Amino acid sequence: MIECYCRGVHGCGDPLCGQCRELLDYATTRLERCRFGGAKPVCANCPVHCYQARMRDEIKRVMRYAGPRMLWRHPILTLRHFLDSRRPVPAITR
Ligand code: SF4
Ligand SMILES: [Zn+2]
């Protein structure tokens, strides 16, 4: 999704521009450290929201742009994300 956004908005994509590279690295680190592990909900439904405010705004911008476009380019991935978004959110235990 970040690549799609970077290509359409920043005219880069592969490789990503510096701003999108930073966002991807940040999102990857958050994912690796996600407290929910394998039961991770989609971040949009998360009761914790571990992202810094600036990064959260940036990823929302990416999602708004790339979400509808992903439906046409990667319909299976989009369907999987949709199904994931309907899974119950795990309770916070720590
Ligand atoms: S926002 Fe929530 S689901 Fe997403 S990585 Fe952070 S803790 Fe995990
Ligand atoms: Zn970019």
Side-chain angles (χ1 to χ4, degrees):
M1 290 182 101
I2 294 175
E3 190 179 313
C4 170
Y5 175 82
C6 190
R7 189 178 301 114
V9 176
H10 299 152
C12 300
D14 187 19
L16 296 172
C17 73
Q19 183 185 330
C20 291
R21 181 80 247 168
E22 183 193 14
L23 180 61
L24 179 61
D25 289 346
Y26 182 83
T28 303
T29 303
R30 297 324 310 162
L31 185 62
E32 286 168 356
R33 296 182 185 169
C34 178
R35 63 190 292 164
F36 297 108
K40 179 190 166 305
V42 296
C43 293
N45 294 345
C46 180
V48 176
H49 276 303
C50 65
Y51 281 54
Q52 294 167 1
R54 177 174 72 88
M55 291 304 198
R56 194 171 163 188
D57 288 347
E58 279 192 32
I59 203 76
K60 275 186 183 170
R61 211 171 301 130
V62 168
M63 296 290 188
R64 262 198 307 272
Y65 178 88
R69 290 163 175 85
M70 291 290 286
L71 179 60
W72 302 112
R73 286 190 191 173
H74 303 286
I76 304 290
L77 264 181
T78 306
L79 177 64
R80 281 177 55 187
H81 184 75
F82 172 74
L83 294 174
D84 283 348
S85 73
R86 301 189 42 102
R87 276 204 325 245
V89 177
I92 301 170
T93 54
R94 57 182 161 95

